[in-house]
Coordinates of all heavy atoms in Angstrom, one line a residue:
G1 N 86.9 93.3 115.1 CA 86.6 94.2 114.0 C 87.6 95.2 113.6 O 87.3 96.4 113.3
R2 N 88.9 94.8 113.6 CA 90.0 95.8 113.3 C 91.0 95.2 112.3 O 91.1 93.9 112.2 CB 90.7 96.1 114.6 CG 89.8 96.7 115.7 CD 90.6 97.0 117.0 NE 91.5 98.1 116.8 CZ 91.2 99.4 116.9 NH1 89.9 99.7 117.0 NH2 92.1 100.3 116.8
I3 N 91.7 96.0 111.7 CA 92.9 95.6 110.9 C 94.1 96.0 111.6 O 94.4 97.1 112.0 CB 92.9 96.4 109.5 CG1 91.6 96.1 108.7 CG2 94.1 96.0 108.7 CD1 91.6 96.8 107.4
V4 N 94.9 94.9 111.9 CA 96.2 95.1 112.6 C 97.3 94.7 111.7 O 97.3 93.6 111.2 CB 96.2 94.2 113.9 CG1 97.5 94.3 114.6 CG2 95.1 94.6 114.9
S5 N 98.2 95.6 111.4 CA 99.3 95.3 110.6 C 100.6 95.1 111.4 O 100.8 95.9 112.4 CB 99.6 96.5 109.6 OG 98.6 96.5 108.6
V6 N 101.3 94.0 111.1 CA 102.5 93.7 111.8 C 103.6 94.0 110.9 O 103.7 93.5 109.8 CB 102.6 92.2 112.2 CG1 103.8 91.9 113.0 CG2 101.3 91.8 113.0
V7 N 104.5 95.0 111.3 CA 105.6 95.4 110.5 C 106.9 95.2 111.2 O 107.0 95.0 112.4 CB 105.4 96.9 110.1 CG1 104.0 97.2 109.4 CG2 105.5 97.8 111.3
G8 N 108.0 95.3 110.4 CA 109.3 95.2 110.9 C 110.3 94.7 109.9 O 109.9 94.2 108.8
P9 N 111.6 94.8 110.1 CA 112.6 94.4 109.1 C 112.5 92.9 108.9 O 111.9 92.1 109.6 CB 113.9 94.8 109.8 CG 113.6 95.7 110.9 CD 112.2 95.3 111.4
N10 N 113.2 92.5 107.8 CA 113.3 91.0 107.5 C 113.9 90.3 108.8 O 114.9 90.8 109.4 CB 114.2 90.8 106.3 CG 113.6 91.2 105.0 OD1 112.4 91.3 104.9 ND2 114.4 91.6 104.1
G11 N 113.3 89.2 109.1 CA 113.9 88.5 110.2 C 113.4 88.9 111.6 O 113.8 88.4 112.6
S12 N 112.4 89.8 111.6 CA 111.9 90.3 112.9 C 110.9 89.4 113.6 O 110.6 89.6 114.8 CB 111.3 91.7 112.7 OG 110.2 91.7 111.8
G13 N 110.3 88.5 112.8 CA 109.4 87.5 113.4 C 107.9 87.7 112.9 O 107.0 87.0 113.5
K14 N 107.7 88.5 112.0 CA 106.3 88.8 111.6 C 105.6 87.5 111.1 O 104.5 87.2 111.6 CB 106.3 89.8 110.4 CG 107.0 91.1 110.7 CD 106.8 92.1 109.6 CE 107.4 91.7 108.3 NZ 108.9 91.5 108.4
S15 N 106.1 86.8 110.1 CA 105.5 85.6 109.6 C 105.4 84.5 110.6 O 104.5 83.8 110.7 CB 106.2 85.1 108.3 OG 106.1 86.1 107.2
T16 N 106.5 84.4 111.4 CA 106.5 83.4 112.5 C 105.3 83.7 113.5 O 104.7 82.7 113.9 CB 107.8 83.4 113.2 OG1 108.9 83.1 112.3 CG2 107.9 82.4 114.3
L17 N 105.1 84.9 113.8 CA 104.0 85.2 114.7 C 102.7 84.8 114.1 O 101.8 84.2 114.7 CB 104.0 86.7 115.0 CG 102.8 87.2 115.8 CD1 102.6 86.5 117.1 CD2 102.8 88.7 115.9
I18 N 102.5 85.1 112.8 CA 101.2 84.7 112.1 C 101.1 83.2 112.1 O 100.0 82.7 112.4 CB 101.3 85.2 110.6 CG1 101.2 86.8 110.6 CG2 100.1 84.6 109.8 CD1 99.9 87.4 110.9
K19 N 102.1 82.5 111.9 CA 102.0 81.0 111.8 C 101.9 80.4 113.2 O 101.3 79.4 113.3 CB 103.3 80.5 111.1 CG 103.3 80.8 109.6 CD 104.6 80.3 109.0 CE 104.6 80.7 107.5 NZ 105.9 80.3 106.8
C20 N 102.4 81.1 114.2 CA 102.2 80.5 115.6 C 100.7 80.8 116.0 O 100.1 79.9 116.7 CB 103.1 81.2 116.6 SG 104.8 80.6 116.5
I21 N 100.1 81.9 115.6 CA 98.7 82.1 115.9 C 97.8 81.0 115.3 O 96.9 80.5 115.9 CB 98.3 83.5 115.5 CG1 99.0 84.6 116.3 CG2 96.8 83.7 115.6 CD1 98.7 86.0 115.8
D22 N 98.2 80.7 114.1 CA 97.4 79.7 113.4 C 97.8 78.2 113.6 O 97.3 77.3 113.1 CB 97.4 79.9 111.8 CG 96.3 79.2 111.1 OD1 95.2 79.2 111.6 OD2 96.6 78.6 110.0
R23 N 98.8 78.1 114.5 CA 99.4 76.8 114.9 C 100.0 76.0 113.8 O 100.0 74.8 113.8 CB 98.3 76.0 115.7 CG 98.0 76.6 117.0 CD 97.2 75.7 117.9 NE 98.0 74.6 118.4 CZ 98.9 74.6 119.3 NH1 99.2 75.8 119.9 NH2 99.6 73.5 119.7
I24 N 100.4 76.7 112.7 CA 101.2 76.1 111.7 C 102.6 75.8 112.3 O 103.2 74.8 112.1 CB 101.4 77.0 110.5 CG1 100.0 77.2 109.8 CG2 102.4 76.4 109.5 CD1 100.0 78.3 108.8
L25 N 103.0 76.7 113.2 CA 104.2 76.5 114.0 C 103.7 76.4 115.5 O 102.8 77.1 115.9 CB 105.2 77.6 113.9 CG 105.8 77.8 112.5 CD1 106.7 79.1 112.4 CD2 106.6 76.6 112.0
L26 N 104.3 75.5 116.3 CA 104.0 75.4 117.7 C 105.0 76.1 118.6 O 106.1 75.7 118.6 CB 103.9 73.9 118.0 CG 102.9 73.1 117.2 CD1 102.9 71.6 117.6 CD2 101.5 73.6 117.2
P27 N 104.6 77.1 119.3 CA 105.5 77.8 120.2 C 106.0 77.0 121.3 O 105.2 76.1 121.8 CB 104.7 79.0 120.6 CG 103.3 78.6 120.5 CD 103.2 77.7 119.3
Q28 N 107.2 77.2 121.8 CA 107.7 76.5 122.9 C 107.1 77.0 124.3 O 106.9 76.2 125.2 CB 109.2 76.6 123.0 CG 110.0 75.7 122.0 CD 110.0 76.4 120.6 OE1 109.8 77.6 120.5 NE2 110.4 75.6 119.6
E29 N 106.8 78.3 124.3 CA 106.2 78.8 125.5 C 105.0 79.8 125.1 O 105.0 80.3 124.0 CB 107.2 79.6 126.4 CG 108.2 78.7 127.1 CD 109.5 78.6 126.3 OE1 109.8 79.6 125.6 OE2 110.2 77.6 126.4
G30 N 104.1 80.0 126.1 CA 103.1 81.0 125.9 C 101.8 80.4 125.3 O 101.7 79.3 125.0
T31 N 100.8 81.3 125.3 CA 99.5 80.9 124.8 C 98.9 81.9 123.8 O 99.3 83.1 123.9 CB 98.5 80.7 126.0 OG1 98.4 82.0 126.7 CG2 99.0 79.7 127.0
V32 N 98.0 81.4 123.0 CA 97.2 82.2 122.1 C 95.7 81.9 122.3 O 95.4 80.7 122.3 CB 97.6 82.0 120.6 CG1 96.7 82.9 119.7 CG2 99.0 82.3 120.4
S33 N 94.9 82.9 122.6 CA 93.5 82.7 122.9 C 92.6 83.5 122.0 O 93.0 84.6 121.7 CB 93.2 83.0 124.4 OG 94.0 82.3 125.3
V34 N 91.5 82.9 121.6 CA 90.5 83.6 120.9 C 89.2 83.5 121.7 O 88.8 82.4 122.1 CB 90.3 83.0 119.5 CG1 89.1 83.7 118.8 CG2 91.5 83.2 118.6

């Protein structure tokens, strides 16, 4: 129940993080759990 904003300069990985969470992109290491 929260709003979390991910900020940073261009190329910092914001959109990549969003897409890895939704598995649009598949990370090489690590896990995402809900």
Side-chain angles (χ1 to χ4, degrees):
R2 302 177 69 80
I3 299 177
V4 177
S5 288
V6 183
V7 304
N10 290 334
S12 59
K14 301 186 298 298
S15 293
T16 300
L17 173 60
I18 293 286
K19 292 176 180 177
C20 283
I21 292 174
D22 198 41
R23 296 193 63 77
I24 296 170
L25 297 174
L26 303 180
Q28 283 81 16
E29 291 96 26
T31 60
V32 180
S33 302
V34 173

